[in-house]
Every structure is written in structure tokens, then in C-alpha cells.
Amino acid sequence: MTFKDLGLAPYVIRSIAKHEYQLPTLVQEKSIPVILQGKDILGIAPTGSGKTAAYALPIIQNLEGKTTTKNRHINVLVLVPTRELSVQVEEVFRSFTQELPFRFKSMAVHGGVSINPQMMGMQHLNVLVATPGRLLELKESNAMHFESLSTLVLDEADKMLNLGFKDEMDRIFALLPAKRQNLLFSATLSPEVEVVERMLLKNPTVVQIEAEKVNVEFINQVGYFVSAEKKGPLLRHLIKSNDWKQVLVFTSSVYHADLVADKLRKNGIDATAIHSKKSQGSRRDSLTKFTNGKLRVLVSTDLLSRGIDIAFLPHVINYELPRSPKDFVHRIGRTGRAENPGDAITFVTEEDKHHFGVIQKKMKRTVDMIDSNSLAF
Ligand code: ADP
Ligand code: MG
């Protein structure tokens, strides 16, 4: 199934091509045609499965010929739980609207910054991405009108409810026109989410994508006992002596990710770190390069590993252990393939030994260990 098959217009397809997305993800494949038809949707799919584009793309296309010209009337409201997410989601909308045959404007609003520029920005706005509190403040100042609103999106609904936004959400729903399309996306389907679903959605299409099961059987795993000071040299030794071309390295912190990437570069190995402190643009560049084989080593934190959408990776290195065994399996999961198993390598210090034991137990696999002192590097 290609993006074209989903009924997306040529101008949307062109913007997708710029992102170098090859194929729609599962949640996109199932959601896009439904949203294009104007129907309500309940989308449950794991983090990193591409939910943002799943709603942003059809929403953009649905706006064609329907954008409001009335001042301070908005067409689409996207509610998100956090400031970071409001910025991220708005960036996604903007990145897909460079080539539209019609005028389009989107904006993110969130608390913690001055409200005045946000009030000014409401002029001729189509898509507003907002956190609930700031949206209500703006509405109280009469900054925008909802009469032309045709679509409401709740993104990360589970998180929004966990953070206690239920009251604010109810107040916002009461302000919106009754006739509208409702799209509810969440990583999990909690009882609280179901309450909102029943209240908000009319005969929704339910799209539920299960988290991919990682089959650890198909992964060549090996561990190296190594001291903290020798991790850098061991990493370089492994990459160089095996002549690996595409290596994903995990660290436990942003700081360490930068440090490891710097050190590799100083030693002539092309490496870049990606983590939450890097801009969306720079992350995307690094990922594209890495995917296309133009970047040898990508150093990442766990947070971002979920956004790394590469189906298969030959080599994953756990430079530092993650706290949770689940994250460990998630990290190494991309190397597991029946026909072509990859390598997952884990560095284990004296202090890690116990924790690595716990991880192996949880994963129900025993990992063969090599003492790095026995290697010449
Ligand atoms: P979710 O909201 O489900 O957690 P996101 O929408 O944030 O996921 O997407 C996760 C990552 O996947 C982003 O970096 C995004 O650019 C990328 N992505 C989304 N759709 C595709 C696709 N069809 N092909 C490749 N990458 C994609
Ligand atoms: Mg999301």
C-alpha cells in the first residue's frame, strides 16, 4: 500500500516525498482514508508509529476549498498535553504544507510564554495546536472563534487524562460546534480514554495497532565485560576491526550521547548523536543520512529510539544499559530477523552485572559474555 493508494492528493504526496517517507505506517494506512471521508476515528497505536502524520495529512487535504476567511475563525483544533508536543505537532503540519495550492497557516500555543503574540497570531489561522489551559485563556480573551471549526483532534489522549486535564477538556468541548469531525489518538486505551471516546466520538472507526512483538531468538547477542574507561576504545575497536558500516549506539543520557559521538568523530569514525535536545530538523537529517547509509554511527538515547523507524539494523550496541528490560528489548529489536539476524552487543561494567542479570531473566535469554581484557585493542 502506497500513500497514493490511500487517496491523498498529488500536492500532499509531493510533501511526503520531501520527508523521504517510503511507505505509510500501519496506523497511517488505516486512518488516512477514514479521516479523508470525514469520519470520526479512535486510533490506538504505540509511540513512534507515526500517528501525527496519520491525522495531519488527511486534515490538510480536507481543508482544500474549505478554509475560512472570517477573521479569527479557526478550522482545526489539535489538543495536546505538553508544550513540547504542541511545538512538534505544529512543525509536522508546517512541514507538509510547503507546496499547497491554497493558503494555509498553523500555530502552536502553550503556557509558560507571553500570551500576546499568540493572540496576534490568530489572524487567518487554519490549524491551532494547543495545550488545554492556554487555549481556555485565549478563548476567555476572545482571541479566536470556533464557529467555523470542523475538526477536533485529541492527541496523546491517555497522557492528557493522566495529567488531569479532564475538566479543561470538558470545558473546551462545550465551546465547540456540535457538528464536527472528532479524531482521538492515544498510545494506550485506558478506561479514562474510553470515557472520553464515548462522550466525543460518533460511530467511530476504531484503528488499533499492536506494539510489534520483538523476537529475541533471532538476534545474535553478545556481552563484553568492560570498565567504564575502556568503553570508548572497545567501541572503536569493534567498529573498525569488523568494518561495520551502520551502527546504532545507545547511551543512557543526552550528555553521554554527545560525548560518545564526539569521541568517535575525533577518531575518524563518522558519528552523530540524536536526542531530545536536538532540533526536529537536525534529528530528521541525521536519521535520513543514517537510514541511507551515509552516516556510519548514530548515537541515541532511549527516548528517541522509538522514533527511529528503520525496519532492520545490522548492529546495535548498548554502550550503557537502559533501566528497563523493556527498553532493552526495544533497542535490540531491530536486529532480529529470521532470515538475516543482526548483532546486539552490550557493554557490561562491574556495577552493571546485577542489572544485566535481571534483563536477561526478563528477556528469557542468556547472553554469552566476553572479557574485553582478553582482546588486544
Ligand atoms: P507517534 O505520534 O505515533 O508516537 P510520530 O508521529 O511522532 O509517532 O512519528 C514517529 C517518527 O516516525 C517521526 O520521526 C516521523 O517523522 C516518522 N514517520 C512517520 N511516518 C513515517 C513514514 N511513513 N515513514 C517513515 N517515517 C515516518
Ligand atoms: Mg504522537
Side-chain angles (χ1 to χ4, degrees):
M1 188 76 78
T2 65
F3 279 107
K4 223 170 163 185
D5 298 330
L6 302 177
L8 291 168
Y11 58 82
V12 180
I13 303 284
R14 278 199 295 278
S15 65
I16 296 171
K18 282 207 171 154
H19 277 251
E20 305 191 27
Y21 289 2
Q22 310 294 336
L23 290 171
T25 64
L26 263 181
V27 67
Q28 290 163 2
E29 193 176 308
K30 301 241 187 305
S31 307
I32 290 171
V34 176
I35 300 174
L36 282 174
Q37 282 172 34
K39 288 163 88 175
D40 281 9
I41 207 167
L42 171 67
I44 309 292
T47 305
S49 55
K51 295 189 284 295
T52 324
Y55 62 80
L57 295 171
I59 283 179
I60 291 163
Q61 184 168 328
N62 282 347
L63 281 173
E64 186 176 1
K66 291 188 199 121
T67 53
T68 176
T69 47
K70 285 193 199 157
N71 200 14
R72 297 185 175 274
H73 280 238
I74 62 166
N75 301 115
V76 178
L77 173 63
V78 184
L79 285 179
V80 295
T82 62
R83 172 186 180 147
E84 288 73 28
L85 202 64
S86 67
V87 173
Q88 248 180 55
V89 167
E90 196 272 336
E91 272 184 25
V92 172
F93 271 97
R94 194 135 27 108
S95 69
F96 284 120
T97 46
Q98 306 295 332
E99 301 211 15
L100 291 192
F102 53 91
R103 203 191 55 79
F104 176 93
K105 187 178 161 196
S106 56
M107 182 168 71
V109 296
H110 49 73
V113 293
S114 161
I115 198 167
N116 284 334
Q118 300 181 348
M119 290 171 76
M120 309 282 275
M122 293 296 162
Q123 305 273 8
H124 305 297
L125 191 64
N126 303 110
V127 173
L128 178 63
V129 186
T131 53
R134 179 50 62 97
L135 183 83
L136 285 167
E137 280 179 79
L138 282 160
K139 186 61 195 163
E140 274 152 27
S141 329
N142 215 17
M144 87 294 259
H145 305 291
F146 291 134
E147 287 81 1
S148 307
L149 186 125
S150 55
T151 306
L152 168 71
V153 183
L154 295 189
D155 196 0
E156 300 214 4
D158 49 355
K159 198 161 175 201
M160 209 138 36
L161 293 160
N162 284 345
L163 291 172
F165 284 132
K166 179 77 168 69
D167 289 349
E168 273 117 328
M169 283 158 70
D170 287 343
R171 280 170 59 203
I172 292 167
F173 301 158
L175 296 169
L176 306 179
K179 195 175 166 318
R180 58 166 200 263
Q181 181 179 27
N182 297 294
L183 313 174
L184 196 160
F185 283 91
S186 183
T188 56
L189 185 58
S190 61
E192 292 82 6
V193 171
E194 284 180 280
V195 169
V196 174
E197 184 223 323
R198 279 194 297 273
M199 195 174 100
L200 214 60
L201 305 186
K202 299 199 179 70
N203 301 321
T205 301
V206 179
V207 170
Q208 193 155 10
I209 311 292
E210 300 292 330
E212 213 178 300
K213 287 255 182 328
V214 173
N215 202 339
V216 288
E217 266 174 66
F218 298 135
I219 304 172
N220 293 325
Q221 288 204 61
V222 63
Y224 286 90
F225 286 127
V226 61
S227 64
E229 317 83 70
K230 294 293 268 303
K231 280 185 179 185
L234 176 60
L235 179 65
R236 298 195 290 274
H237 168 75
L238 289 172
I239 294 171
K240 282 188 170 163
S241 64
N242 294 298
D243 199 22
W244 287 337
K245 304 288 188 214
Q246 199 184 30
V247 188
L248 179 61
V249 177
F250 283 104
T251 62
S252 54
S253 71
V254 166
Y255 177 68
H256 284 175
D258 281 334
L259 225 58
V260 170
D262 282 349
K263 202 71 199 240
L264 284 171
R265 274 198 307 276
K266 282 196 184 116
N267 283 277
I269 298 173
D270 190 18
T272 303
I274 63 165
H275 47 64
S276 53
K277 297 273 153 56
K278 300 251 175 159
S279 75
Q280 182 89 6
S282 123
R283 284 185 223 164
R284 201 161 38 227
D285 281 357
S286 313
L287 266 177
T288 308
K289 271 202 201 147
F290 185 62
T291 316
N292 296 339
K294 291 188 183 118
L295 170 66
R296 194 170 182 187
V297 184
L298 189 68
V299 188
S300 174
T301 55
D302 284 298
L303 201 70
L304 268 188
S305 79
R306 291 164 194 272
I308 301 175
D309 194 31
I310 306 175
F312 176 73
L313 270 173
H315 313 289
V316 171
I317 299 183
N318 296 301
Y319 191 88
E320 284 154 341
L321 290 181
R323 211 160 293 151
S324 112
K326 245 194 197 149
D327 280 340
F328 185 89
V329 172
H330 202 276
R331 284 178 177 189
I332 67 172
R334 285 178 194 79
T335 63
R337 259 193 184 177
E339 70 277 20
N340 183 16
D343 302 310
I345 287 157
T346 304
F347 290 1
V348 182
T349 63
E350 194 57 41
E351 297 90 86
D352 291 333
K353 277 183 180 166
H354 173 75
H355 186 47
F356 192 50
V358 174
I359 289 175
Q360 291 176 76
K361 219 175 191 170
K362 280 266 154 68
M363 146 173 99
K364 301 195 177 77
R365 299 290 289 183
T366 307
V367 175
D368 290 336
M369 297 298 300
I370 296 170
D371 186 349
S372 64
N373 286 322
S374 68
L375 303 174
F377 67 92

